[in-house]
Amino acid sequence: MERRRVLEDDLGFLLTRASAMVVRSVNEALAPLGLRVRPYTVLSLACDEPSGVAQRRIAADMGLDPSQIVAIVDELENRNLVARTADPGDRRNKLVVATDEGRKLCDEARRLSEEVSDRHFAGVDPALLAEMRTVLGRMVFPESVNAAR
Amino acid sequence: MERRRVLEDDLGFLLTRASAMVVRSVNEALAPLGLRVRPYTVLSLACDEPSGVAQRRIAADMGLDPSQIVAIVDELENRNLVARTADPGDRRNKLVVATDEGRKLCDEARRLSEEVSDRHFAGVDPALLAEMRTVLGRMVFPESVNAAR
DNA sequence: TATTGTTATACTCTATAACTATA
DNA sequence: TATAGTTATAGAGTATAACAATA
């Protein structure tokens, strides 16, 4: 063989390639539901928080600029999957809350998305996968390293 | 805490977030060289193959469509970092070969890019990083699972 | 003065289809 | 007919700056 002498050991490159593969297949898997990865992620965050999530929070969790969340929430709201509700405590906030319809679709999407992940990581030692979750989780959410769960 | 109940365990999501972080900081690190991740990757592949790489090969290794390679090679060629040379064996192929200047810049870029990776994965057990490389490498290049190196 | 959501804009990346030249 | 590279185009994702409403 003796190709890819350097890139095959570059974790950044491998991460990029792997995530592109997963995103692609999740997008394909979610297409029948009319969802793509990013709207699904927003919907999922809304579903995880019964009282709703502020758009800033969504942006922070997804690593995006708040301005990029607007159109995604617009789309989900137009489809009646989430609703923007006023935060009584701080009227600058708009809390994004999932509707019943949104929750149903999210459950379905989650199932499909997990199926895709399982397929990609089939045959990998579950303990190793757990360690990868920990490493990547700490990298992505450094503030919650020792947070109680 | 008790947020992100589901996404924090979603390897696809973590992979996407982590790779976005790395790509962003590698792009920043390479900016002084006038490179971004993708041109750097193409240059790197060209440097790894003294006799040159076919554009199809580059596309396959990067998981892109061959049409997306054209503009990147154009740019590198305009900067005299690579040259397109005719493949004597099959004149349909254009082998992308790195120039001396390209090799010098690639070495520099590699150094900067490794620095970024080291920073992101500082404190992680090297053995675990090696296992992650193996898992992701198999996922990305399934054809070379048992390839001799 | 600072922060939340919003609008607007420019750029990069992704995905396809169709063309040409060689095989 | 099949394959390598190319062109063109549309859509999705990324990155900033600036604005109105609220704190």
Side-chain angles (χ1 to χ4, degrees):
Chain A
M1 273 282 152
E2 196 58 41
R3 270 192 309 100
R4 290 191 303 265
R5 283 193 290 282
V6 174
L7 282 179
E8 72 185 350
D9 286 329
D10 181 334
L11 253 182
F13 172 76
L14 292 170
L15 239 30
T16 304
R17 288 283 279 109
S19 99
M21 286 176 70
V22 174
V23 166
R24 204 172 306 183
S25 34
V26 172
N27 277 337
E28 279 166 20
L30 297 186
L33 308 184
L35 283 175
R36 293 175 64 83
V37 164
R38 288 168 54 155
Y40 160 58
T41 306
V42 170
L43 178 58
S44 183
L45 286 168
C47 287
D48 282 351
E49 206 73 62
S51 50
V53 210
Q55 294 187 193
R56 288 273 152 173
R57 180 78 257 159
I58 296 174
D61 282 351
M62 295 180 68
L64 302 178
D65 189 272
S67 66
Q68 299 176 244
I69 307 302
V70 179
I72 303 175
V73 174
D74 283 351
E75 187 204 316
L76 293 172
E77 196 174 33
N78 287 338
R79 292 178 59 187
N80 195 37
L81 301 171
V82 302
R84 281 181 172 96
T85 65
D87 181 348
D90 182 339
R91 285 186 313 184
R92 286 175 308 185
N93 286 341
K94 293 181 185 172
L95 299 177
V96 179
V97 185
T99 63
D100 288 349
E101 197 180 336
R103 282 174 199 288
K104 246 184 278 178
L105 195 69
C106 188
D107 287 345
E108 182 70 9
R110 192 161 285 166
R111 204 178 52 70
L112 293 171
S113 144
E114 277 168 8
E115 231 172 75
V116 170
S117 268
D118 290 350
R119 181 151 39 83
H120 280 296
F121 293 102
V124 180
D125 176 16
L128 177 52
L129 290 182
E131 287 189 290
M132 285 176 61
R133 283 191 189 89
T134 304
V135 168
L136 297 175
R138 282 186 186 159
M139 179 173 157
V140 171
F141 301 114
E143 75 281 6
S144 62
V145 167
N146 289 315
R149 290 181 187 152
Chain B
M1 271 283 150
E2 196 57 45
R3 269 191 309 100
R4 290 190 304 262
R5 282 192 291 282
V6 174
L7 284 179
E8 73 184 351
D9 287 330
D10 181 334
L11 254 181
F13 172 76
L14 292 171
L15 238 31
T16 305
R17 288 282 280 108
S19 98
M21 286 175 68
V22 174
V23 167
R24 203 172 309 182
S25 34
V26 172
N27 278 336
E28 279 166 19
L30 298 186
L33 307 185
L35 284 175
R36 293 176 64 81
V37 164
R38 287 167 54 157
Y40 161 58
T41 306
V42 170
L43 178 58
S44 183
L45 287 167
C47 286
D48 281 353
E49 206 74 61
S51 50
V53 209
Q55 296 188 191
R56 290 270 151 176
R57 179 77 260 156
I58 296 174
D61 282 351
M62 295 180 68
L64 302 178
D65 190 272
S67 66
Q68 301 176 242
I69 307 302
V70 179
I72 302 175
V73 174
D74 283 350
E75 187 205 315
L76 294 172
E77 198 174 32
N78 288 337
R79 292 178 57 189
N80 195 37
L81 301 171
V82 303
R84 282 180 171 96
T85 65
D87 180 348
D90 183 340
R91 282 187 314 182
R92 288 175 304 182
N93 286 340
K94 294 181 183 171
L95 300 177
V96 179
V97 186
T99 63
D100 289 346
E101 198 182 336
R103 282 174 200 286
K104 248 185 276 179
L105 194 70
C106 188
D107 287 344
E108 183 69 8
R110 192 161 286 165
R111 205 177 52 70
L112 293 171
S113 145
E114 278 169 7
E115 229 172 76
V116 168
S117 271
D118 290 350
R119 183 153 37 83
H120 280 297
F121 293 101
V124 181
D125 176 18
L128 176 52
L129 290 182
E131 287 188 290
M132 285 176 60
R133 283 193 189 90
T134 304
V135 168
L136 296 176
R138 281 186 187 158
M139 177 173 160
V140 170
F141 300 113
E143 76 280 7
S144 63
V145 168
N146 289 315
R149 289 178 190 157

